[in-house]
Amino acid sequence: MKMDIKLPIPRPQNRPIIITGPCSAETEEQVMKTAQMIVDQNLEIDMFRAGIWKPRTRPGSFEGIGFEGLKWLKKVKDTFGFKITTEVANTQHVFDALKIGIDAVWIGARTTVNPFSVQEVADALKGVDIPVFIKNPINPDLELWKGAVERIYNAGITRIGLIHRGFSKFGNTIYRNVPEWQIPIELKRTFPDMMIIVDSSHICGNRELLLEVSQTALDLNYDGVMLESHCDPSNAWSDAKQQVTPFQLKEQIIDRLQMRHSGVGDQVFHHNIEDLRQRIDAIDKELIQMMGNRMKVSQKIGEYKKQNNIAVLQPDRWNEIIDKAMQMAGPLDLSEEFISKVLKAIHQESINHQERIMQGDRKNEQVN
Ligand code: PEP
Ligand code: MN
């Protein structure tokens, strides 16, 4: 589908887009104080955010202040001139947010996963020319994210942006939601000019990693950051661990971020980059060729296993492969996490090949 998507908000010239404000609107005082602190820092921001309805994973925690909080957001807009934005998840949210004069809305990660909900929001927005940001779904499903963009676009909204907030994980990682950078990168191939913002707060889940994750996003050509800020982060009613004061936001993150340029006219630079890219292309070719070779060997093993009626999966052998690879990883400056992911993917492909050999035989037996 050919889409004519426009920028939801203007791209500033020499700095990233900044959307900030508390995770949740808690009290009028907290919302106003946070906005005042942003002004006191001389921090130029593009939008002030606050959650009014909070979709919490488990019940029992603060689920948002509701309509009352929208009036505080409006007060921020009237007092400080900030554009305001909040999350909407159903028809009532959309109508309420529009009623108080919201400047943009975003669709949260727990809503993007559900096509019924996205469609409900899209229908409620029909005929309203308002910018809509769409967060990635909590599960790493590119099609769901694309589908949400299409549903909103089909409702007649043309100013659409993406917000990358990371994906749910199982097991331990340093992130609250793993970034899986390859997913937004892939989405950008479908929608090359669409604005994309990183929500480092929900990726990190803590304050320590905010700068690093935000910088990675800018290095990948993202347009800006959404970062939660709060006048008193440690006592926030939601997401206390990841919020920062407007002072910390400026001093520890925004002022340290470096903007990179996507296209540079400089000839020497261009030549060097081209040279390196050709080397990368050659290595990628070789890697794929080698994997093809590996699969051929693996297929031979599969045939041998079949003749001798041996199970496809041999756990001892697999552990041995992983152990050997881990020993090699360190000196090559490759993380164990990365090597283990790559090997698991290769191993899975090998198993698929070998299974096909085993099953193919069974199918033939049935036919005969
Ligand atoms: C939020 O922005 O406060 C929020 C709930 O985000 P997400 O939908 O990414 O979890
Ligand atoms: Mn939050």
Side-chain angles (χ1 to χ4, degrees):
M1 178 168 45
K2 174 90 187 82
M3 294 197 211
D4 182 20
I5 292 173
K6 302 193 175 61
L7 291 182
I9 51 177
R11 283 190 174 114
Q13 276 283 304
N14 296 313
R15 62 164 179 83
I17 286 168
I18 302 169
I19 302 175
T20 190
C23 175
S24 305
E26 299 164 7
T27 63
E28 179 173 340
E29 195 202 355
Q30 167 252 6
V31 172
M32 291 299 286
K33 198 166 165 196
T34 305
Q36 179 66 57
M37 284 165 79
I38 293 170
V39 173
D40 293 345
Q41 289 305 315
N42 277 326
L43 191 58
E44 246 186 286
I45 68 167
D46 299 276
M47 269 201 287
F48 184 86
R49 64 149 282 159
I52 300 294
W53 303 278
K54 302 301 295 179
R56 308 311 300 278
T57 304
R58 313 255 319 256
S61 41
F62 179 56
E63 298 200 308
I65 205 77
F67 187 76
E68 188 65 12
L70 285 173
K71 296 187 199 152
W72 310 333
L73 271 184
K74 176 72 163 60
K75 194 164 172 190
V76 165
K77 179 173 172 164
D78 293 342
T79 312
F80 303 104
F82 291 155
K83 286 198 159 52
I84 49 172
T85 184
T86 197
E87 171 177 345
V88 290
N90 62 34
T91 307
Q92 193 61 48
H93 296 166
V94 172
F95 288 175
D96 286 350
L98 292 175
K99 198 167 5 171
I100 60 102
I102 205 88
D103 293 295
V105 293
W106 82 79
I107 295 179
R110 291 164 197 76
T111 305
T112 311
V113 282
N114 184 345
F116 286 141
S117 302
V118 176
Q119 193 57 52
E120 181 179 331
V121 170
D123 291 341
L125 286 167
K126 250 181 207 148
V128 188
D129 184 20
I130 193 173
V132 177
F133 286 92
I134 303 173
K135 288 201 178 193
N136 64 261
I138 49 174
N139 53 328
D141 185 336
L142 185 56
E143 294 302 304
L144 267 178
W145 203 358
K146 273 188 204 166
V149 172
E150 286 160 357
R151 282 177 199 279
I152 296 299
Y153 183 79
N154 290 343
I157 310 285
T158 55
R159 291 186 285 162
I160 303 177
L162 304 166
I163 300 179
H164 172 210
R165 51 78 79 196
F167 301 88
S168 297
K169 44 126 209 317
F170 178 70
N172 279 342
T173 85
I174 53 170
Y175 303 107
R176 176 176 171 193
N177 292 291
V178 284
E180 308 270 18
W181 296 103
Q182 73 282 5
I183 294 176
I185 288 171
E186 188 60 29
L187 189 60
K188 278 288 277 182
R189 283 186 347 116
T190 311
F191 304 119
D193 302 320
M194 206 185 296
M195 176 172 286
I196 182 161
I197 309 271
V198 68
D199 170 353
S200 313
S201 302
H202 291 92
I203 290 181
C204 299
N206 62 55
R207 302 184 240 286
E208 291 68 36
L209 290 170
L210 292 173
L211 174 61
E212 187 185 314
V213 166
S214 305
Q215 185 62 59
T216 301
L218 293 191
D219 293 345
L220 292 169
N221 259 329
Y222 281 45
D223 295 285
V225 290
M226 179 188 250
L227 287 159
E228 289 179 340
S229 60
H230 190 289
C231 54
D232 182 11
S234 326
N235 291 309
W237 297 1
S238 60
D239 290 353
K241 284 200 210 124
Q242 71 198 27
Q243 301 201 62
V244 290
T245 62
F247 171 74
Q248 291 168 321
L249 175 68
K250 180 163 190 305
E251 291 273 306
Q252 293 170 21
I253 305 167
I254 303 297
D255 283 354
R256 299 182 193 202
L257 282 174
Q258 290 191 23
M259 285 290 273
R260 320 268 194 223
H261 306 283
S262 56
V264 180
D266 184 319
Q267 284 292 312
V268 179
F269 168 85
H270 213 73
H271 183 79
N272 288 345
I273 283 278
E274 260 323 297
D275 188 41
L276 291 169
R277 282 188 177 148
Q278 278 173 17
R279 278 159 64 183
I280 290 274
D281 287 351
I283 294 171
D284 282 351
K285 245 191 201 164
E286 214 173 306
L287 272 173
I288 292 166
Q289 184 62 53
M290 300 271 272
M291 281 193 273
N293 295 348
R294 189 189 191 282
M295 285 311 148
K296 288 212 179 72
V297 177
S298 162
Q299 269 165 344
K300 282 216 172 83
I301 296 184
E303 278 156 22
Y304 194 66
K305 280 181 185 164
K306 185 181 73 181
Q307 281 161 17
N308 291 278
N309 209 20
I310 295 173
V312 163
L313 185 63
Q314 299 286 318
D316 287 350
R317 168 70 183 141
W318 174 231
N319 285 338
E320 186 191 317
I321 292 178
I322 291 269
D323 287 349
K324 273 193 203 151
M326 290 305 170
Q327 279 167 23
M328 282 177 72
L332 292 170
D333 211 11
L334 297 167
S335 75
E336 292 197 353
E337 190 192 353
F338 167 69
I339 288 298
S340 138
K341 261 193 198 155
V342 171
L343 273 181
K344 276 184 190 151
I346 294 176
H347 188 229
Q348 184 59 55
E349 182 74 5
S350 276
I351 289 178
N352 295 348
H353 278 256
Q354 296 192 355
E355 264 296 292
R356 232 173 283 145
I357 291 169
M358 299 279 198
Q359 299 281 347
D361 199 47
R362 211 163 292 156
K363 270 188 213 136
N364 289 343
E365 275 167 22
Q366 278 167 7
V367 172
N368 297 334

